[in-house]
């Protein structure tokens, strides 16, 4: 890793308030701890049920991907979940949702403790998602792009019966290319727009983002999901950005050419996934809004959190079932409801979910 202090990292997980550099474009630090948890344990971290804890915040779109993947694949019993609160300071995400403000398994108040347990002078931002080794209480990896791929390919012996193949071999090359494109132009495109440090950089990012959303609108004109009839890793990566678009990115990040709800294919696709088990039941709109509007003090110095929009519209009918559909793939089936302890506060979502 390059020599870099935590306050140098440009990331929504990082220092409270400091995201915009005057006159500059937004530059996300993409250097993460690249250790992997694999079937053969080649990095020293073998797949082992009950050994690892996934640290997330429901506010963070990158962490949201891992929560969805874990749900769809049925890894809840194999990988436990540590949920941080929606806001953080320049030091770390905190486990303020738990009794006494400590994660009940790790005993930590702050996620940074897991990072420092392995790297006492860890030089980068303390980010979610992160996989934590429970025996040592030390971070294993925070490589958000690799974590979900390994859930799909390395943890197969712990997948539930009927788990979908989210990363089918025949489509991997196309999925990888689409995911890379979406990362730079859409997932990170909203941040490039919102954290632009000049009018010129803002307009450049804005135009690129909307050109990319228009391209996705066209892609979804003839298929139910991004890769066709079935849900894949690509959908898991796009959904967290789309579901946050109207509540946050449209206004807070000035991505305001139009709301997503005015784009028929993208909007109906978002509603479709929201109403699909494993997607909408991971979304906490209150946490999402609190994170962006409270933490980003350089673009919202008052920290006022908006009351709208009305999220019940995510439950309105969609038209996506007009396409060829095999949602869960051959032999697949919908996941069970979330664990009772992991059900989103019903006041924070239009979904009414009963946990198991």
């Amino acid at each position: 890793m390059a020599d870099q202090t935590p306050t140098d990292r440009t990331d929504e997980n990082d220092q409270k308030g400091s995201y915009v550099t005057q006159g500059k474009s937004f530059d996300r630090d993409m250097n993460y701890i690249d250790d992997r948890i694999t079937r053969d344990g080649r990095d020293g971290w073998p797949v082992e049920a009950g050994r690892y804890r996934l640290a997330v915040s429901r506010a963070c779109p990158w962490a949201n991907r891992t929560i969805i993947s874990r749900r769809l694949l049925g890894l809840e019993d194999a990988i436990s979940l540590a949920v941080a609160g929606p806001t953080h300071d320049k030091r770390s995400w905190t486990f303020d949702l738990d009794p006494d403000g400590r994660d009940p398994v790790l005993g930590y108040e702050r996620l940074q403790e897991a990072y420092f347990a392995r790297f006492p002078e860890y030089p980068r931002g303390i980010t979610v998602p992160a996989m934590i080794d429970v025996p040592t209480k030390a971070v294993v990896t925070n490589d958000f792009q690799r974590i979900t791929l390994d859930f799909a390919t390395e943890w197969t012996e712990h997948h539930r019966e009927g788990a979908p193949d989210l990363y089918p071999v025949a489509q991997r090359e196309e999925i990888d290319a689409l995911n890379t494109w979406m990362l730079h132009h859409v997932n990170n495109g909203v941040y490039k727009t919102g954290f632009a440090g000049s009018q010129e950089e803002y307009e450049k990012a804005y135009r690129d983002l909307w050109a990319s959303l228009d391209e996705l609108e066209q892609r979804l004109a003839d298929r139910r999901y991004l890769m066709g009839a079935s849900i894949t890793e690509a959908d898991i990566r796009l959904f967290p950005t789309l579901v946050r678009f109207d509540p946050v990115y449209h206004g807070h990040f000035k991505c305001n050419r139009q709301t997503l709800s005015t784009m028929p294919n993208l909007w109906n696709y978002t509603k479709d996934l929201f109403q699909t088990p494993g997607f909408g039941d991971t979304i906490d709109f209150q946490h999402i809004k609190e994170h962006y509007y409270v933490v980003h003090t350089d673009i919202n110095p008052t920290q006022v959190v908006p009351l709208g929009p009305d999220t019940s519209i995510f439950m309105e009918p969609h038209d996506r079932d007009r396409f060829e559909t095999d949602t869960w793939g051959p032999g697949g089936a919908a996941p069970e409801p979330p664990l009772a302890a992991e059900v989103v506060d019903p006041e924070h979502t239009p979904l009414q979910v009963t946990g198991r």
Side-chain angles (χ1 to χ4, degrees), residues 172-186:
R172 286 184 185 178
E173 186 174 348
E174 185 180 357
I175 290 172
D176 289 345
L178 179 60
N179 285 347
T180 298
W181 177 83
M182 289 193 301
L183 171 66
H184 294 293
H185 298 283
V186 180

Side-chain angles (χ1 to χ4, degrees), residues 271-285:
K271 289 189 294 182
D272 183 12
L273 286 180
F274 188 88
Q275 296 167 35
T276 299
F279 284 87
D281 55 36
T282 71
I283 300 300
D284 188 316
F285 283 113

Side-chain angles (χ1 to χ4, degrees), residues 10 54 110 131 136 142 177 214 254 261 265 302 307:
T10 311
L54 173 62
R110 294 176 173 272
M131 291 288 283
T136 61
N142 63 346
D214 286 340
K254 307 180 187 71
S261 61
N265 295 326
T302 65
L307 294 177

Side-chain angles (χ1 to χ4, degrees), residues 204-246:
K204 177 182 176 182
Y206 175 98
R207 292 190 178 98
D208 181 75
L209 169 66
W210 280 107
S212 303
L213 289 172
D214 286 340
E215 189 169 334
L216 288 172
E217 175 76 3
Q218 288 300 115
R219 183 183 183 95
L220 290 166
D222 62 0
R223 64 192 76 190
R224 184 158 188 174
Y225 306 110
L226 286 173
M227 297 301 298
S230 304
I231 287 170
T232 67
E233 173 76 15
D235 301 294
I236 292 173
R237 296 197 183 197
L238 180 58
F239 173 76
T241 297
L242 297 185
V243 80
R244 287 163 173 76
F245 198 90
D246 286 4

Side-chain angles (χ1 to χ4, degrees), residues 54-66:
L54 173 62
V56 300
S57 168
R58 293 190 184 277
C60 173
W62 318 105
N64 197 173
R65 302 172 174 189
T66 63

